[in-house]
């Protein structure tokens, strides 16, 4: 049976070159047989040809180079993320993206847009849940000026990320301290990649985030305009942690106040 002219081209990816988009970094969705992980950062790099587009036979050096070119990470930061990540999943040569999703290594439960790894499975699901994406977007609370604009112009900041982390850990259960640090670091990096400042708020455009986390695609025409280092990520991760702690304190205080009011009401009966 012939394929209609309107049908998207079906092709094979080999190396960084795509037979449809060529040798550049234009987006191309994964094709049948391509390997992908639960990590939007790595999948996006493959979809844009910063690492092998089929997501296979990838080395830590390939990931290091891709992180620098795609996101503007410094050499020490990119090297640290790639080589430490490979050590954690016990890969000392080349690997496929799917293997990076080994459950309990770098990957963790309570992902912002993926379901937890089913019991008995070795690797986490790579399918993106559109409902979780919408829930993540709903966690972003715009400032007064942002409310006057289209929702796509809203910015996500530390507190918004903290709100999303608290919600997901309520839904999926808490994660250990090491993976909590990894989860904060993941978002700290992307907060630094696209940080935008206005008079009312500093954060990343939701238009960028939603495309990246749900389509695993970079903003059209965007290229890194600064270098982000390890200490930049550490600082932002601490900001997210502090915001999580404050929101949890606020929730506990609100719950205590509500309980007190309830008890007072019972005493008047």
């Amino acid at each position: 049976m012939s394929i209609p002219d309107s049908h998207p081209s079906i092709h094979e990816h080999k190396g960084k070159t795509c037979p449809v988009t060529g040798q550049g970094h234009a987006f191309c969705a994964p094709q049948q047989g391509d390997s992908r992980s639960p990590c939007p950062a790595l999948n996006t790099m493959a979809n844009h040809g910063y690492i092998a587009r089929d997501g296979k036979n990838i080395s830590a050096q390939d990931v290091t180079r891709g992180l620098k070119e795609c996101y503007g990470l410094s050499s020490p930061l990119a090297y640290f993320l790639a080589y430490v990540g490979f050590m954690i999943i016990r890969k000392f040569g080349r690997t496929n993206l799917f293997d990076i999703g080994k459950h309990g290594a770098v990957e963790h439960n309570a992902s912002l847009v993926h379901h937890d790894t089913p019991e008995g499975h070795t690797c986490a699901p790579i399918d993106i849940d559109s409902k979780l994406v919408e829930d993540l977007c709903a966690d972003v609370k715009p400032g007064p000026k942002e409310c006057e604009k289209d929702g796509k112009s809203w910015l996500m900041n530390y507190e918004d990320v903290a709100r999303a982390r608290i919600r997901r850990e309520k839904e999926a259960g808490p994660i250990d301290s090491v993976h909590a640090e990894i989860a904060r670091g993941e978002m700290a990096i992307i907060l630094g990649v696209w940080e935008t400042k206005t008079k009312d708020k500093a954060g990343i455009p939701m238009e960028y985030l939603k495309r990246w986390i749900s389509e695993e695609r970079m903003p059209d025409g965007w290229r890194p305009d600064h270098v982000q280092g390890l200490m930049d990520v550490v600082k932002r991760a601490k900001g997210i942690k502090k915001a999580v702690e404050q929101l949890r304190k606020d929730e506990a205080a609100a719950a205590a106040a509500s309980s007190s009011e309830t008890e007072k009401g019972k005493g008047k009966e």
Side-chain angles (χ1 to χ4, degrees):
M1 183 176 67
S2 62
I3 299 175
D5 293 339
S6 60
H7 193 283
S9 176
I10 297 174
H11 53 277
E12 184 178 359
H13 283 150
K14 287 187 177 180
K16 295 181 180 180
T17 301
C18 171
V20 174
T21 64
Q23 295 183 345
H25 295 301
F27 173 82
C28 183
Q31 300 296 298
Q32 185 175 1
D34 286 354
S35 182
R36 291 296 184 264
S37 76
C39 176
L42 294 174
N43 293 346
T44 299
M45 285 160 56
N47 291 342
H48 284 275
Y50 288 99
I51 55 177
R53 286 185 179 266
D54 64 1
K56 298 178 180 179
N57 200 33
I58 293 170
S59 69
Q61 184 57 38
D62 294 333
V63 174
T64 300
R65 189 179 300 110
L67 289 170
K68 292 169 61 178
E69 294 177 356
C70 184
Y71 297 106
L73 304 191
S74 69
S75 293
L77 175 57
Y79 185 94
F80 173 81
L81 293 172
Y83 281 87
V84 171
F86 269 57
M87 287 176 62
I88 291 174
I89 63 171
R90 297 184 174 276
K91 295 293 182 179
F92 304 101
R94 292 182 174 271
T95 190
N96 299 332
L97 287 185
F98 184 77
D99 294 326
I100 293 174
K102 181 181 179 182
H103 179 58
V106 177
E107 183 275 338
H108 54 83
N109 283 339
S111 162
L112 294 180
V113 296
H114 297 93
H115 291 291
D116 290 351
T117 304
E119 187 174 351
H121 286 233
T122 302
C123 292
I126 62 171
D127 293 333
I128 298 164
D129 187 322
S130 59
K131 175 62 167 56
L132 288 178
V133 173
E134 293 305 318
D135 289 344
L136 173 61
C137 293
D139 286 321
V140 178
K141 306 302 180 187
K145 296 293 184 182
E146 288 182 302
C147 288
E148 301 172 5
K149 302 176 182 178
D150 186 288
K152 291 182 179 180
S153 301
W154 294 358
L155 300 178
M156 170 181 267
N157 66 5
Y158 297 156
E159 188 172 297
D160 299 319
V161 174
R163 193 176 293 109
R165 289 269 14 120
I166 290 172
R167 173 182 55 79
R168 283 297 291 136
E169 289 182 41
K170 285 180 179 178
E171 295 168 349
I175 55 179
D176 63 78
S177 60
V178 172
H179 287 101
E181 192 66 44
I182 290 173
R184 289 191 292 268
E186 291 165 347
M187 290 305 295
I189 291 171
I190 207 65
L191 284 175
V193 170
W194 291 320
E195 185 177 59
T196 301
K197 294 182 179 180
T198 67
K199 292 181 179 179
D200 299 288
K201 192 174 185 181
I204 58 174
M206 284 303 298
E207 184 176 17
Y208 286 9
L209 178 76
K210 189 172 182 181
R211 170 174 283 201
W212 177 74
I213 209 163
S214 64
E215 300 179 30
E216 298 178 330
R217 180 174 186 167
M218 298 298 279
D220 291 338
W222 184 86
R223 290 291 182 273
D225 57 7
H226 65 280
V227 176
Q228 181 177 191
L230 179 59
M231 295 312 298
D232 297 319
V233 176
V234 170
K235 180 180 178 180
R236 289 188 172 89
K238 286 181 177 178
I240 295 172
K241 183 178 182 180
K242 184 177 180 181
V244 166
E245 292 171 348
Q246 185 60 54
L247 287 174
R248 283 179 171 156
K249 285 181 181 179
D250 293 345
E251 285 186 356
S258 176
S259 177
S260 177
E261 289 298 320
T262 301
E263 289 300 318
K264 287 180 181 179
K266 289 180 178 178
K268 293 179 181 179
E269 292 177 358

